[in-house]
Amino acid sequence: MATNDEQSGLTPYESGISGRRDQAFPVLSEADLARIGRFGETRHYTSGARLFSAGEPIPGMFVLLKGGLTLTQRDGLGRVLPVVRFRRRGEFTGEVALLSGGHAIVDANADEDVETLVILPEQVRALIIAEAELGERIVRALILRRIAHLQSGVSGAVLIGRPDSPDMLRLETFLRRNGQPHHTVDPAQDSAAAILFAQYGGAPNDVLVACPNGAMQLSPSENSLARCIGMLDALEHDELSDVVVVGAGPAGLATAVYAASEGLRVIVVECRSFGGQAGASARIENYLGFPTGISGQALAGRAFVQAQKFGAKMLIPAQAVALDCRNAKSSGELVLTLEDGRKLRSRTVVIASGARYRRPAVRGLPAYEGRGIWYWASALEAQMCTGEEVALVGGGNSAGQAAVFLAEHASRVHMLIRGDGLAATMSRYLIDRITQTRTIELHPNTELTEVFGDSDGRLESLSWIDRRSGAVTHRPIRNVFVFVGADPESAWLKGCGVMLDGHGFVATGKSAINTEGQLPTSLDSSVPGIFAIGDVRSGSVKRVGAAIGEGAAVVALIHQHLATERRSARP
């Protein structure tokens, strides 16, 4: 395993995986080295040479044969921090970004003359699949290293700004939901950060972002930040894919994993973050195979890595705005247009765009979104609520999971539901958990009516009404979590001819218009080669397990469609 003998203790990065260092930094044996030799080429570097730099595309996995390497992190404030040293033959560099050819988040330097075996990203994926047992060890190491980066708070982008700034919360949420390492610096606590913040003209609520490549951005959009840190590429992707999946929730990720593992060329487009609404669930306790439960972020993160392991390309964040189906019958080609103007060509499209959070018609609510009004409940929001009262609106499973999670941090969770109780909308295990949690107070037949802010533009208080008695309650609550359902993300299908039901969900199966004279399958839309799965599909079950099942099932239909197209193209 990697050693740090020259140092007096562990670096923050190493401390994050101190209990699993053997797995995070395995040493490949001579037999392992012989097996992987055909996937790479030997390269030599002189002492002091830079093998790769933070903020630049990862050139590959470097397997140490002779010499020594050191990985370091630039913190954006002129300081260079040690991450880990490699000294033993058979150690290798890399974390999960390696699988997709993403950008490095650390620098790698030769401490002495070095001999390495360099394996390009596409060859790393080939190695992982061809050498299953060895590949399992490598993937486990790459995942654990990303976890260490996330936990250590010493790598990735640097966010300089007030901890309670709305932009800080927005950008931190985006990075956390996408598993991107980062750390924050309060300019009020760091003189170097304060000087840099002022130099770039930062206002009190702004956030200055120092990207790993040294670029600086002031309160960037999520899309701009993603490009700056190398999470989202700018390539045209004008090749003809076998399938484009729109949406990276459980259904879309399942499609990507199964389709890519079966050799199909897959591109996944997601406008926010992988995992969808399920990714924001604090704990899913009724998913098959996880008796102690698993967080939505952990479940989605594993699927995200798994899809990339098989070669699926991920575009996040990337917004689908239009689908051109005019040539679906003549050439079998569909064209998806993204918000940034890029066009993706594909033989099939899987609609897995899910649904967007529904916003109740409450006076003043839009002004405080991201400033006390939340549509998810992650560790970041829970931390802000420690010891405070919060309100939660909704009575479904997502609301129940959030209430139980928030009750571990807040002094009281006021749960506002429109109905008489929870039995009609929530799983029994969650109802039992809620009734047994003393800090959750249930308010049936109750609606949120108005929210109020303070002079800084943050939520300060709110009112709700008991519809039976007419009594109005006003409380100084600064955080409200809204879980009142969602509307389908289907506006981008307008003009393509894909049939929607009266609520905007994609009609499939017998409900879809079939112009070919054949009965479509349950996942077929009204346009050949276009399928719908998950929450966006009319009549779907709205469960994680069901969504994953549909994602797996649709791959067989894709194969059938592609086979039919190939037969039709024969002279």
Side-chain angles (χ1 to χ4, degrees):
M1 66 183 171
T3 60
N4 224 13
D5 295 336
E6 292 84 13
Q7 298 185 5
S8 58
L10 298 177
T11 66
Y13 173 79
E14 291 174 302
S15 298
I17 38 80
S18 58
R20 303 182 70 179
R21 294 181 78 219
D22 286 335
Q23 293 179 312
F25 296 101
V27 179
L28 302 181
S29 67
E30 292 301 321
D32 293 333
L33 293 175
R35 289 160 64 189
I36 68 175
R38 62 191 174 96
F39 294 95
E41 64 176 31
T42 302
R43 296 182 189 173
H44 296 83
Y45 298 88
T46 59
S47 178
R50 174 70 57 85
L51 280 69
F52 56 82
S53 299
E56 297 180 0
I58 301 173
M61 183 172 82
F62 291 75
V63 183
L64 187 63
L65 301 178
K66 292 180 182 178
L69 305 174
T70 295
L71 305 186
T72 57
Q73 163 67 29
R74 289 169 278 163
D75 71 350
L77 302 174
R79 298 184 288 257
V80 177
L81 308 174
V83 176
V84 69
R85 290 189 173 97
F86 295 104
R87 291 291 180 270
R88 300 174 61 181
R89 177 179 170 87
E91 292 183 307
F92 57 89
T93 67
E95 49 92 35
V96 291
L98 172 67
L99 297 176
S100 61
H103 286 202
I105 52 179
V106 295
D107 299 324
N109 301 289
D111 294 329
E112 54 190 294
D113 290 349
V114 167
E115 180 182 341
T116 68
L117 177 68
V118 182
I119 306 176
L120 302 179
E122 58 268 24
Q123 288 300 104
V124 173
R125 294 194 297 269
L127 161 64
I128 289 169
I129 294 171
E131 300 285 349
E133 183 276 331
L134 178 55
E136 180 181 340
R137 280 187 277 150
I138 292 173
V139 171
R140 183 185 296 113
L142 300 184
I143 292 173
L144 286 173
R145 293 174 187 184
R146 171 55 68 96
I147 291 172
H149 279 298
L150 289 168
Q151 293 178 342
S152 67
V154 297
S155 58
V158 183
L159 278 60
I160 302 172
R162 285 171 42 186
D164 62 348
S165 161
D167 271 347
M168 179 67 81
L169 298 174
R170 172 179 62 85
L171 295 174
E172 268 208 278
T173 296
F174 171 75
L175 292 170
R176 284 177 183 246
R177 289 284 300 272
N178 282 289
Q180 292 295 321
H182 64 282
H183 58 287
T184 63
V185 179
D186 185 349
Q189 306 297 323
D190 189 304
S191 58
I195 293 172
L196 193 63
F197 191 75
Q199 179 182 338
Y200 281 86
N205 282 325
D206 281 337
V207 175
L208 180 64
V209 179
C211 299
N213 64 359
M216 309 295 289
Q217 295 190 339
L218 190 62
S219 295
S221 66
E222 288 88 339
N223 190 284
S224 180
L225 175 59
R227 290 187 183 279
C228 192
I229 64 176
M231 175 181 155
L232 178 64
D233 65 41
L235 302 176
E236 286 300 320
H237 294 290
D238 55 1
E239 69 277 9
L240 182 62
S241 302
D242 293 315
V243 55
V244 166
V245 183
V246 181
L253 289 173
T255 302
V257 168
Y258 286 102
S261 69
E262 294 177 14
L264 297 179
R265 290 165 293 184
V266 182
I267 295 181
V268 180
V269 174
E270 166 60 49
C271 63
R272 299 183 187 89
S273 56
F274 65 78
Q277 291 192 62
S281 295
R283 182 156 297 273
I284 302 172
E285 295 193 59
N286 60 350
Y287 185 68
L288 186 68
F290 292 90
T292 59
I294 184 172
S295 73
Q297 179 76 11
L299 183 65
R302 294 178 183 184
F304 182 68
V305 172
Q306 195 174 16
Q308 292 177 90
K309 162 188 168 181
F310 291 117
K313 296 178 181 178
M314 299 287 179
L315 300 184
I316 304 175
Q319 177 75 55
V321 295
L323 182 60
D324 186 347
C325 309
R326 289 174 295 179
N327 297 322
K329 294 181 181 179
S330 58
S331 65
E333 182 176 312
L334 302 160
V335 180
L336 179 72
T337 300
L338 304 181
E339 191 173 43
D340 61 12
R342 288 186 288 179
K343 297 182 182 296
L344 306 180
R345 301 163 53 236
S346 182
R347 293 185 172 90
T348 64
V349 169
V350 174
I351 305 168
S353 44
R356 61 184 176 275
Y357 302 111
R358 187 173 294 155
R359 288 156 170 77
V362 174
R363 189 186 309 171
L365 185 142
Y368 304 106
E369 292 180 353
R371 298 167 180 254
I373 300 295
W374 314 102
Y375 296 92
W376 56 84
S378 72
L380 188 62
E381 289 76 39
Q383 188 176 23
M384 295 188 306
C385 301
T386 300
E388 297 184 3
E389 291 189 19
V390 304
L392 188 147
V393 183
N397 277 349
S398 294
Q401 291 162 354
V404 171
F405 173 65
L406 291 169
E408 298 174 2
H409 305 270
S411 62
R412 181 159 297 276
V413 178
H414 295 276
M415 198 168 181
L416 315 182
I417 62 171
R418 291 173 57 89
D420 295 328
L422 299 171
T425 55
M426 189 179 293
S427 296
R428 186 72 245 174
Y429 82 91
L430 277 173
I431 296 175
D432 293 341
R433 186 75 57 80
I434 287 169
T435 56
Q436 293 167 13
T437 303
R438 289 179 298 176
T439 52
I440 298 178
E441 184 175 343
L442 196 63
H443 300 269
N445 300 106
T446 300
E447 291 184 26
L448 180 67
T449 55
E450 193 168 2
V451 295
F452 308 89
D454 59 19
S455 58
D456 290 331
R458 287 187 53 82
L459 183 68
E460 183 178 51
S461 61
L462 55 88
S463 297
W464 66 70
I465 185 171
D466 184 322
R467 293 188 296 134
R468 294 168 302 184
S469 65
V472 175
T473 301
H474 184 85
R475 295 192 70 86
I477 291 176
R478 299 181 62 84
N479 290 283
V480 178
F481 297 85
V482 181
F483 294 86
V484 293
D487 296 311
E489 287 276 17
S490 58
W492 58 279
L493 294 167
K494 184 179 180 180
C496 178
V498 172
M499 182 180 177
L500 309 178
D501 69 12
H503 299 286
F505 292 90
V506 180
T508 59
K510 294 179 181 179
S511 301
I513 297 174
N514 181 21
T515 58
E516 299 298 309
Q518 298 176 348
L519 185 65
T521 71
S522 61
L523 304 179
D524 274 307
S525 78
S526 58
V527 177
I530 301 179
F531 308 90
I533 58 175
D535 288 0
V536 74
R537 187 177 69 82
S538 180
S540 64
V541 180
K542 307 294 188 294
R543 297 280 187 175
V544 172
I548 292 173
E550 290 182 5
V554 78
V555 176
L557 303 181
I558 292 170
H559 280 300
Q560 292 176 14
H561 177 81
L562 294 177
T564 300
E565 290 295 314
R566 284 193 292 269
R567 287 195 296 267
S568 300
R570 291 173 184 168

